[in-house]
Amino acid sequence: MRAGGWEKRELIKGGWGSTILFTVIASAIIKPAMSAGYVYNPVYLKHDTGQHVEVAARLEAIIAYLEKTGLTSQLTLIEPRPATVDEIALVHTRGYIKEIEDTAREGGGWLDPDTVMSAGSYQAALYAAGGLIRAVEAIMGGEVSSAFALVRPPGHHATSQSAKGFCLFNNIAIAASYALAEYKLERILIIDFDVHHGNGTQETFYDNPQVMYISTHQYPFYPGTGSLDETGGGAAKGTNINIPLPAGCGDAEYLKVFEQIIVPAARRFKPRLILVSAGYDTHRDDPLAMMEVSVTGFGQMAEIIKGLADELCGGRLALTLEGGYNLDALAASVKATLDVLLGNNAIDPLGQPPHSPGKTDIDRLIEAIKEIHKLP
Ligand SMILES: [Zn+2]
């Protein structure tokens, strides 16, 4: 918008007076340039997992790449704050929160076969949840139109009373609950494109008609949940949309699913805010899963999500980092997503062509989901 406004102003030939007048009018009627923010703080590196795939180096790689490519200078840095215990307790039991605090105080330890804590993990986890809350606050307060919380530990597997799959507190569920309570939003849409199903997020809002949860994930796969027939309970029936995909899906299949399921479902739901569990373990080079998405594909998915936010809720869009374990692919994919938020042209720096369409047949699956959810 900045460039467009300038060009139009140059067309005015009536001297400085009319140029200034036009500029005043233009600034009133033309929307301001897209402002996007990111949340980051070195506190997230204090969650020390030792020999693990979910490591501090993930965030270090992202930040180094954003700095190298000049993106950080285009973005507004949003300083995180720790979430309060009351905010965490919107989703988790107080007993569980105390267990996490106590485990950190004792120096850390394993909570399940995949999830480990260090002495700094409780503080990092409070700041991870608080980081996404700050992103929501910055958006609702008009400081930025969209934001990406580059935080860890991730969150979407954590349930009300247990850690799971590298996750301690469910950052997106906490931020959504906070937004419902603090801003009295009627409806929030959560889109989760991590390769794993966000069992904790689904569980949190399963009976809540104010939050629609849509997840694309490899299936069957960890954590085992995410089947077609998990559609929401009671008054929330239909607000939980699982898109369980076979291994091998790439850009073409994801775009089909986004266009044919996520877009119509979002339009029907009419959210006031869109939150995204952005997991990049769907990338073709990721060591944990078997999907084939490219950096370009992540940019295209971000375009669709941003389009929905612009169309449905004044651009209000906050993403939070979940998975993604190939450091080069992760950094490039996060950048492609941020490029979309900024209105830049996203380019695949890894130089990989989008994978050819039609390799994996998901048409019957899409028809089944449309049928279950009565989508056009
Ligand atoms: Zn994942």
Side-chain angles (χ1 to χ4, degrees), residues 115-139:
T115 315
V116 67
M117 283 181 66
S118 65
S121 296
Y122 178 63
Q123 188 192 20
L126 292 179
Y127 271 89
L132 185 57
I133 287 175
R134 275 292 298 128
V136 169
E137 288 173 339
I139 291 164

Side-chain angles (χ1 to χ4, degrees), residues 156-157 166 194-197 279-281 288 322-325:
H156 72 156
H157 294 306
F166 318 161
D194 188 279
V195 80
H196 303 99
H197 181 245
Y280 297 93
D281 37 12
L288 291 198
E322 300 284 0
Y325 305 99

Side-chain angles (χ1 to χ4, degrees), residues 31 145-146 189-193 212 214 243 255 257-276 300-318 340-341:
K31 277 164 63 179
S145 36
S146 59
L189 170 62
I190 297 176
I191 298 171
D192 184 336
F193 63 74
M212 172 171 273
I214 308 180
I243 306 170
L255 293 180
V257 157
F258 267 65
E259 281 162 3
Q260 296 188 29
I261 299 172
I262 298 180
V263 168
R267 283 185 176 145
R268 186 172 68 190
F269 187 64
K270 297 186 177 62
R272 296 289 175 253
L273 170 70
I274 297 178
L275 301 178
V276 178
Q300 290 167 324
M301 280 153 53
E303 288 275 6
I304 294 175
I305 294 171
K306 182 166 190 315
L308 284 172
D310 289 341
E311 176 189 331
L312 301 172
C313 48
R316 292 200 288 260
L317 169 62
V340 170
L341 299 189

Side-chain angles (χ1 to χ4, degrees), residues 32-320:
M34 279 184 261
S35 63
Y38 73 110
V39 174
Y40 177 71
N41 188 284
V43 70
Y44 299 126
L45 309 179
K46 291 187 176 179
H47 172 51
D48 179 2
T49 52
Q51 286 290 330
H52 201 280
V53 289
E54 200 295 286
V55 283
R58 296 174 62 233
L59 279 187
E60 291 175 310
I62 293 170
I63 296 301
Y65 192 65
L66 296 181
E67 277 172 5
K68 191 178 101 181
T69 52
L71 225 71
T72 39
S73 62
Q74 299 177 47
L75 294 159
T76 302
L77 174 63
I78 300 166
E79 282 292 342
R81 64 171 173 84
T84 65
V85 169
D86 284 346
E87 287 164 350
I88 304 283
L90 291 169
V91 169
H92 298 281
T93 64
R94 289 182 189 268
Y96 171 67
I97 299 168
K98 186 161 188 315
E99 182 191 328
I100 298 299
E101 183 183 11
D102 290 348
T103 305
R105 193 181 298 118
E106 289 154 15
W110 289 86
L111 303 173
D112 87 343
D114 305 306
T115 315
V116 67
M117 283 181 66
S118 65
S121 296
Y122 178 63
Q123 188 192 20
L126 292 179
Y127 271 89
L132 185 57
I133 287 175
R134 275 292 298 128
V136 169
E137 288 173 339
I139 291 164
M140 297 306 293
E143 293 167 54
V144 293
S145 36
S146 59
F148 198 150
L150 299 171
V151 303
R152 61 185 287 278
H156 72 156
H157 294 306
T159 67
S160 61
Q161 43 195 332
S162 63
K164 191 175 175 68
F166 318 161
C167 304
L168 302 182
F169 297 141
N170 194 317
N171 306 319
I172 202 160
I174 292 164
S177 302
Y178 172 84
L180 286 177
E182 184 71 17
Y183 301 104
K184 312 288 181 236
L185 297 177
E186 301 134 293
R187 290 174 303 281
I188 295 175
L189 170 62
I190 297 176
I191 298 171
D192 184 336
F193 63 74
D194 188 279
V195 80
H196 303 99
H197 181 245
N199 60 290
T201 312
Q202 169 175 293
E203 181 195 284
T204 305
F205 300 114
Y206 203 69
D207 297 319
N208 186 341
Q210 287 185 283
V211 178
M212 172 171 273
Y213 176 67
I214 308 180
S215 173
T216 55
H217 46 274
Q218 184 175 323
Y219 187 87
F221 202 45
Y222 184 89
T225 51
S227 72
L228 281 181
D229 55 4
E230 296 158 16
T231 59
K237 196 143 191 65
T239 59
N240 195 87
I241 302 182
N242 282 323
I243 306 170
L245 295 167
C249 289
D251 298 353
E253 289 85 354
Y254 271 85
L255 293 180
K256 215 183 231 187
V257 157
F258 267 65
E259 281 162 3
Q260 296 188 29
I261 299 172
I262 298 180
V263 168
R267 283 185 176 145
R268 186 172 68 190
F269 187 64
K270 297 186 177 62
R272 296 289 175 253
L273 170 70
I274 297 178
L275 301 178
V276 178
S277 272
Y280 297 93
D281 37 12
T282 321
H283 191 275
R284 60 178 61 175
D285 294 337
D286 195 89
L288 291 198
M290 286 142 262
M291 291 306 197
E292 297 286 333
V293 177
S294 72
V295 174
T296 302
F298 285 118
Q300 290 167 324
M301 280 153 53
E303 288 275 6
I304 294 175
I305 294 171
K306 182 166 190 315
L308 284 172
D310 289 341
E311 176 189 331
L312 301 172
C313 48
R316 292 200 288 260
L317 169 62
L319 303 94
T320 188

